[in-house]
Amino acid sequence: MFRRIGTTVVRHPVWTIVAWLIAAVAIVATAPSLPSNSDESSFLPKSYESIKAADLQERAFPSAFTPSAIALYQRTDGGKLTAADKKDVARITTELGQKKIDQVQKVVPGQPSKDGRYDLTLVQMDSKNAGQPKQADAAKVLRENVKELAKGTNLDVKLGGSAAQALDQQDSSQRGQALIGIGTFVIILVTLLIIFRAPILALLPLVLIGLVSAIANGLIAYATKLFDLQANSSISSILIVVLFGVGTDYFLFLMFRYRERLRAGDEAKEAMVNAVDRVGEAIASAAGAVIIAFLALVLSTLGFLKQMGPALAIAVAATLVAGLTLIPAVVSLIGPKVFWPSKSWQREPANARFAALGRGVQRRPALAAVASGLVLIALSLGTFGYKATFDLASGSMPKTKESMVVQDEMQKAYSAGAAAPTDVYLSSTDGKPLDKADFTAYAQKLGAVDGVASARMTQVSKDGTTADFTVTLKYEASTDKAIDAVGRVRDVAHSDAPDGTEALVGGMSSIYKDINTAVNHDYRTVFPVAALLIMVILGLLLRSVVAPWYLMASVGLGFGATLGATVWIFQEGQGHSGLMFMLPVIMYLFVVAIGTDYNILMIARLREEAREGRSPREAAGMALRYAGPTVAAAGFILAATFATMMLAGNALLTEMGFAVSFGIAVAAFVMAMFFTPSLTALIGHAAWWPGHGDRAAGTPAGMGAGLGGSEPLAGEDRDTVASDPSGRLG
């Protein structure tokens, strides 16, 4: 199949390129916009209690005041607010309400702080558009207006709240994307220049993957709208890295094989056909593992991850198709001039370092397996200290952003939980009005819960069937203590609800509590499903039942080592209260899927060497010698491109960038280089049971060579022709 694809593309390169250009123009021109949603509650399905509580609030208290933006006032000299200052606050509040800003429904005065140094203006927006870009736009107008109204006074005013956080998150995301894009571009360009010493070859993947990126983004927008998925601005940053990082990997696999065939004496166009034929199945299998891992996120209960899974799968699928069609078409048009001005592509490098590493693994596979395994296990010990944090807003932007400054100052000036109180909604189950005589005792029981600062009944619905009890926690809404406390509030709210009533607990801490539950569900569902499907791909590719087990075990150790190192760096080293809650899921999928790619390339080369009649140990040594340079180059580029996410300046992308880049480095330089080949050497022919895929065609199985197989699947460079007496490169 892959030979047919290569032949068709190389025979009709111009039509292939034209087809891609037409597809790009059509998709980009007609794709819908991809709005971003920063409302954490929209990530959860309606079956969770916090979402049921939010729905009940809209029905029972349609005019309930829930501030979307908060203006925080303090004197420019930091002193207590004077009577004149308070008059200015009241004037600003009134005039702000009179401006009739889009999305703004109410503007009311808030409560001054107990120390008299702070005051508030509370702004309510349309709850139906919570987290949507139009509310971020409204926050921008509000921020400009409130600062303009405060001119000429002694007041310093800052705008915070969820709408302002959405605005700052949007701004931070755009800046982060620009930095990530520039960093990715520079890393790929410089690395490819060092590897090939050919400017055309260094620029080519950036141009081609840029075209693929435009198509992928359009397809993702279509899928998001078609399946009514949630969008988040962080996905755009991840997409840049996935497209350029994975795309460059596939480009490398193809170009190494193309260069190899030219060295073997193939005519230029035939060399590309042979390259696609030889490397196509390896790229397709590697991409298939990544796509399946990403699609496993569809099983997630979180809208954010549900949207991310198909989006990344579409990006990788588009990159795969480009790797088998667009890249071969363009390179076949240019021919060997793509390597200009370097002449080194005509000569076989010695690969002395990788040859030495290969000899070391060949001589002492047990030592290599134990040493690399101990490194992975030691790093994995850090996983026992893992803690999650659920404040997606503060994790998605620097602490210096205005809305984050407001959040921090409010926690100091008011009760830590005052900015996001918890609401307990007590409803009649028989449709009759509630007995108000029960309210005082019920509020006292809620107030007595450990971690609760205060609890009081604040309002009753018009029909008298639902009462709202406002519970203020002692802790900021996203902290572990607040999430534990809201769990205790739920227990008391449910167990002590008066006869004939039921209670629902809402608010941000309740949402975070449910997100925690959803993530734990994903750990039990997404992880095993992704691992099982990747094992099936490995089994089909390698025709083995044994190899997929230890390959996935090695990748699992790589995941543990990556999470452990991330915990030590950010929690222990930098003092973070925890890692972003979705990080282990994302890290698992990237490290497992992409780590499997490098294992596929290495073990496929090992099998190829074994089919030449070499012993398992000799095959492992030769595989490391020849596959090592490609795995090292691909691993470095991909790890470095993911590391550019650390330039974004926010906790979420910094943690994600470090974790994924570290995990890829471990996968390439520890697992694929040492752990996997040394284990395969130790297990020997049994690793390929029952397919015996390591045995050459026409030789009895008992003699170390047996059942034949398909064309070798390595995407790496066969670095020797002159030193290859078997002539298998010709």
Side-chain angles (χ1 to χ4, degrees), residues 37-198:
N37 195 334
S38 60
D39 180 19
E40 286 92 339
S41 66
S42 67
F43 299 159
L44 289 167
K46 295 187 179 298
S47 58
Y48 282 88
E49 181 171 350
S50 58
I51 307 305
K52 289 180 179 178
D55 291 341
L56 176 60
Q57 177 193 346
E58 289 187 9
R59 294 195 308 271
F61 307 103
S63 60
F65 191 92
T66 304
S68 299
I70 301 171
L72 179 68
Y73 305 90
Q74 64 180 126
R75 282 184 60 85
T76 52
D77 59 10
K80 289 188 176 182
L81 297 174
T82 65
D85 295 331
K86 293 176 182 178
K87 285 183 179 180
D88 285 330
V89 171
R91 174 186 58 79
I92 293 170
T93 301
T94 301
E95 293 183 11
L96 200 61
Q98 292 172 347
K99 289 186 176 289
K100 305 296 182 184
I101 298 169
D102 181 49
Q103 296 296 307
V104 173
Q105 295 177 329
K106 282 183 184 178
V107 180
V108 300
Q111 293 291 324
S113 62
K114 290 181 180 179
D115 62 8
R117 296 171 60 189
Y118 295 89
D119 207 343
L120 303 173
T121 293
L122 307 179
V123 181
Q124 177 178 304
M125 296 187 187
D126 187 350
S127 61
K128 294 178 182 178
N129 295 321
Q132 298 297 328
K134 59 179 65 178
Q135 292 208 348
D137 295 341
K140 184 177 182 180
V141 177
L142 275 169
R143 183 173 282 169
E144 292 169 352
N145 277 272
V146 77
K147 290 182 184 297
E148 183 65 30
L149 291 171
K151 282 184 177 179
T153 70
N154 294 317
L155 296 172
D156 176 45
V157 58
K158 300 183 183 71
L159 192 75
S162 60
Q165 287 175 356
L167 172 64
D168 291 340
Q169 186 177 350
Q170 190 180 84
D171 177 64
S172 178
S173 175
Q174 290 171 350
R175 175 180 173 274
Q177 284 179 42
L179 289 172
I180 289 168
I182 294 169
T184 299
F185 185 93
V186 170
I187 286 169
I188 293 174
L189 184 65
V190 171
T191 307
L192 290 179
L193 278 172
I194 292 171
I195 293 173
F196 294 106
R197 295 185 289 280

Side-chain angles (χ1 to χ4, degrees), residues 259-319:
R259 186 175 66 177
E260 169 200 317
R261 298 312 307 168
L262 288 173
R263 286 170 175 168
D266 287 359
E267 182 272 330
K269 291 188 178 297
E270 185 63 21
M272 181 54 71
V273 173
N274 287 333
V276 175
D277 180 33
R278 300 289 289 272
V279 82
E281 190 175 354
I283 292 177
S285 300
V290 179
I291 290 168
I292 281 180
F294 289 157
L295 286 179
L297 284 175
V298 173
L299 300 174
S300 171
T301 51
L302 293 172
F304 169 69
L305 294 177
K306 265 191 176 184
Q307 197 272 346
M308 178 181 285
L312 296 178
I314 289 170
V316 174
T319 307

Side-chain angles (χ1 to χ4, degrees), residues 276 308 354 376 483 571 646:
V276 175
M308 178 181 285
F354 290 97
L376 297 175
I483 292 168
Q571 287 185 202
M646 299 173 69

Side-chain angles (χ1 to χ4, degrees), residues 192-497:
L192 290 179
L193 278 172
I194 292 171
I195 293 173
F196 294 106
R197 295 185 289 280
I200 297 174
L201 205 54
L203 285 169
L204 196 57
L206 295 170
V207 174
L208 298 182
I209 297 167
L211 177 64
V212 175
S213 174
I215 292 175
N217 276 292
L219 293 174
I220 290 164
Y222 273 119
T224 301
K225 185 175 182 180
L226 181 63
F227 297 106
D228 194 26
L229 300 171
Q230 298 293 340
N232 186 275
S233 54
S234 297
I235 292 176
S236 299
S237 301
I238 299 169
L239 273 174
I240 293 171
V241 177
V242 169
L243 282 162
F244 282 89
V246 174
T248 304
D249 266 10
Y250 298 162
F251 179 82
L252 277 174
F253 301 157
L254 183 69
M255 293 311 301
F256 274 132
R257 183 64 78 172
Y258 176 60
R259 186 175 66 177
E260 169 200 317
R261 298 312 307 168
L262 288 173
R263 286 170 175 168
D266 287 359
E267 182 272 330
K269 291 188 178 297
E270 185 63 21
M272 181 54 71
V273 173
N274 287 333
V276 175
D277 180 33
R278 300 289 289 272
V279 82
E281 190 175 354
I283 292 177
S285 300
V290 179
I291 290 168
I292 281 180
F294 289 157
L295 286 179
L297 284 175
V298 173
L299 300 174
S300 171
T301 51
L302 293 172
F304 169 69
L305 294 177
K306 265 191 176 184
Q307 197 272 346
M308 178 181 285
L312 296 178
I314 289 170
V316 174
T319 307
L320 167 62
V321 175
L324 297 178
T325 59
L326 179 62
I327 293 173
V330 174
V331 174
S332 67
L333 270 182
I334 300 172
K337 291 180 181 178
V338 75
F339 296 106
W340 178 87
S342 173
K343 302 289 186 182
S344 62
W345 65 272
Q346 299 172 349
R347 302 185 302 273
E348 300 295 335
N351 284 340
R353 293 179 183 176
F354 290 97
L357 289 175
R359 288 193 297 270
V361 169
Q362 179 178 336
R363 290 169 184 167
R364 298 181 179 84
L367 177 62
V370 170
S372 55
L374 286 176
V375 169
L376 297 175
I377 291 171
L379 289 172
S380 297
L381 295 176
T383 59
F384 293 107
Y386 168 72
K387 294 179 182 177
T389 181
F390 298 88
D391 190 356
L392 191 60
S394 62
S396 300
M397 69 187 98
K399 293 288 186 183
T400 53
K401 286 291 185 180
E402 186 170 327
S403 59
M404 292 295 97
V405 174
V406 171
Q407 179 174 291
D408 291 342
E409 290 184 353
M410 284 192 64
Q411 289 175 24
K412 296 172 186 175
Y414 297 84
S415 169
T422 296
D423 290 287
V424 178
Y425 299 103
L426 189 67
S427 298
S428 169
T429 56
D430 57 10
K432 296 179 181 178
L434 296 169
D435 185 355
K436 295 182 180 180
D438 297 326
F439 290 174
T440 301
Y442 190 63
Q444 288 175 347
K445 290 176 181 177
L446 294 173
V449 174
D450 182 29
V452 172
S454 65
R456 58 192 178 89
M457 198 284 291
T458 51
Q459 57 184 331
V460 179
S461 61
K462 289 182 178 180
D463 61 6
T465 60
T466 303
D468 177 9
F469 293 80
T470 299
V471 177
T472 304
L473 302 178
K474 295 178 180 178
Y475 319 109
E476 196 275 320
S478 65
T479 61
D480 288 339
K481 289 183 177 180
I483 292 168
D484 291 340
V486 87
R488 294 189 291 270
V489 169
R490 281 185 178 182
D491 292 340
V492 171
H494 297 159
S495 61
D496 290 344

